Amino acid sequence: MEGLLFLAHRIPFPPNKGDKIRSFHLLRHLSARYEIHLGAFVDDPDDWQYRDALVPYCKSVKLLPLNPRRARLASLVGFLSGEALTLPYYRDRELARWARGLAMSGTVRCGLAYSSAMAQFMPASLPRRVLDMVDVDSDKWMQYAATRPWPLAWVYAREGRKLAEWEVRAAKAFDATLLVSCDEARLLQRRAPVARHKIGVFENGVDADYFSPARDYPDPFAPGMQGVVFTGAMDYWPNVDAVTWFAERVFPAVRETAPDAQFTIVGSRPAEAVLALTRQPGVVVTGGVPDVRPYLAHAACVVAPLRIARGVQNKVLEAMAMARAVVASPQAAEGIRAEAGCDFFLAQGEAEFARTVVARLQTVSAVAHARDCILAHYDWARNLAAIDPLFEGAQTVPPVLEVCPA
């Protein structure tokens, strides 16, 4: 088999959070067709134990430590070089030498860079280079800037501008650039019209057999409690912001009408601000759990009250696969091919969010349409098959309109 260089900003295992879910499925799919040479960073010491789990999918594995605190200090070089801080945050001479060596020796003939930050390591000499940008991250930084005080607002706005320049440059340089949703792809197409024909969509998937409502799951809630559930990595600032806003500004109004409601925050490494929410009546923080499915299966309602988001929220897709009633903000629902009011419920603002959640608690039932939507649009095997031609010589990606009709 031909060699393929796979570069990821984070070790693609275990597939237990958004970016790792997508990168792992990509890796596993491509490993059936190519000899994979994986280069990735490890930013969580607990993840070193998973190196051996990658061996069945890879010809070689190059994992490098990334200390977030040191990386933040290194990123400050960007202020002097005039580049996005994201680039020196990940810059690593050893990874660059390793990738160049594989290309020069002919060991790899094509490559996939996972996230815009990894584009800087992909050798230009490779005949075929594909970039899975996933999200237009620069726009997320602009959202951060709009919500934070000075000087962070200035730093984040600068990062948004500089990273947008890098994203356009990368889209022009690579043979194909993939995004997670039609909204993301169209945004990048508008910013990089010269590369429009090379920008396409590779949508996420959901393991619908794993996230199945048909199984029996132990009930994690006390008798009589109505679980209002949020799932996600709880050291990720948009998630912290979302649960804080919901717990402080929305949930008290929910409890006035539904006193048995319990807001359960399920996710690893909860930040101090998240742990502090347990002081409020009816708020529970679980920390990491071995299996989120019991919480979803027995939830009266699942909420995704994100105020800052890009791309597609796997937490929403997984809850829909479990046929749960999902109440999502416009930001959390963006990019998901589903019908509001049928497959999920859209809410914006404190009062509307509270009313919508209460309505779901008063009429608890499975949402079959939600699971049907996942089965129709978010099948991993079908969605992954669309990327194969990009490594086999296809000159352009399928037009966005073919995937996502206007």
Side-chain angles (χ1 to χ4, degrees):
M1 291 191 289
E2 196 172 57
L4 184 147
L5 176 62
F6 191 117
L7 300 173
H9 68 289
R10 185 176 288 118
I11 178 174
F13 202 89
N16 59 359
K17 58 189 298 185
D19 65 293
K20 288 186 175 185
I21 293 170
R22 183 175 171 95
S23 60
F24 171 72
H25 281 279
L26 266 170
L27 177 71
R28 185 172 65 177
H29 176 77
L30 292 171
S31 70
R33 295 160 178 78
Y34 300 92
E35 289 187 339
I36 303 291
H37 297 267
L38 171 67
F41 291 108
V42 178
D43 59 3
D44 182 344
D46 288 342
D47 282 350
W48 284 105
Q49 64 183 301
Y50 300 114
R51 186 190 185 283
D52 289 347
L54 295 167
V55 171
Y57 308 105
C58 301
K59 180 72 172 179
S60 69
V61 177
K62 179 77 168 179
L63 298 181
L64 294 162
L66 188 147
N67 182 296
R69 180 172 294 183
R70 293 176 187 166
R72 281 193 292 272
L73 289 174
S75 72
L76 299 179
V77 172
F79 286 121
L80 300 177
S81 62
E83 62 188 334
L85 305 184
T86 298
L87 299 179
Y89 182 95
Y90 287 102
R91 190 159 293 146
D92 187 281
R93 292 180 181 177
E94 185 176 350
L95 181 62
R97 282 196 299 268
W98 178 78
R100 282 198 307 271
L102 289 171
M104 291 176 62
S105 67
T107 302
V108 295
R109 297 287 296 167
C110 53
L112 182 135
Y114 186 78
S115 83
S116 59
M118 301 307 289
Q120 63 184 311
F121 298 108
M122 187 60 68
S125 60
L126 292 181
R128 295 294 293 176
R129 305 191 307 158
V130 176
L131 170 62
D132 186 3
M133 197 176 287
V134 190
D135 307 325
V136 182
D137 260 351
S138 57
D139 195 70
K140 182 173 64 179
W141 287 105
M142 297 305 293
Q143 291 182 53
Y144 286 174
T147 62
R148 303 307 286 260
W150 192 90
L152 283 179
W154 178 84
V155 173
Y156 291 162
R158 178 193 181 276
E159 184 66 5
R161 292 192 304 272
K162 294 295 184 180
L163 192 55
E165 293 172 3
W166 172 253
E167 289 165 345
V168 169
R169 182 175 159 192
K172 291 178 180 178
F174 276 67
D175 297 294
T177 298
L178 301 170
L179 284 302
V180 71
S181 73
C182 303
D183 291 334
E184 299 293 306
R186 288 180 179 132
L187 174 57
L188 187 61
Q189 285 181 330
R190 289 195 298 272
R191 293 182 176 181
V194 174
R196 182 183 183 88
H197 64 290
K198 300 192 294 181
I199 297 170
V201 179
F202 154 48
E203 292 181 292
N204 277 359
V206 178
D207 187 339
D209 180 62
Y210 182 81
F211 287 99
S212 171
R215 295 187 178 88
D216 289 328
Y217 300 98
D219 190 344
F221 302 108
M225 279 292 178
Q226 289 187 294
V228 178
V229 173
F230 178 95
T231 63
M234 294 319 306
D235 58 349
Y236 180 51
W237 188 68
N239 287 343
V240 175
D241 175 75
V243 298
T244 302
W245 176 79
F246 183 83
E248 294 179 348
R249 308 294 291 274
V250 178
F251 193 57
V254 172
R255 290 264 294 183
E256 286 181 9
T257 305
D260 292 330
Q262 176 181 295
F263 181 35
T264 304
I265 302 167
V266 183
S268 60
R269 298 185 297 277
E272 288 298 324
V274 176
L275 294 173
L277 297 175
T278 59
R279 301 186 188 121
Q280 299 184 51
V283 177
V284 173
V285 176
T286 69
V289 297
D291 191 347
V292 301
R293 292 175 299 172
Y295 293 90
L296 295 176
H298 293 281
C301 174
V302 175
V303 293
L306 281 89
R307 301 192 292 175
I308 296 172
R310 285 249 49 100
V312 169
Q313 300 299 314
N314 285 288
K315 58 174 65 68
V316 174
L317 300 182
E318 291 167 357
M320 289 173 61
M322 296 286 289
R324 293 297 86 200
V326 180
V327 181
S329 64
Q331 295 93 324
E334 184 174 327
I336 294 177
R337 288 208 276 168
E339 182 181 349
C342 178
D343 305 319
F344 72 100
F345 301 90
L346 197 63
Q348 187 170 20
E350 298 167 18
E352 184 181 11
F353 225 104
R355 285 195 305 271
T356 307
V357 170
V358 167
R360 305 281 63 79
L361 296 182
Q362 292 173 338
T363 57
V364 177
S365 63
V367 184
H369 286 292
R371 182 166 173 83
D372 292 341
C373 172
I374 296 300
L375 296 176
H377 299 299
Y378 294 99
D379 177 76
W380 274 119
R382 182 174 61 245
N383 292 353
L384 282 161
I387 72 169
D388 291 336
L390 302 180
F391 297 96
E392 296 166 1
Q395 295 304 304
T396 61
V397 299
V400 171
L401 287 178
E402 285 186 12
V403 178
C404 315

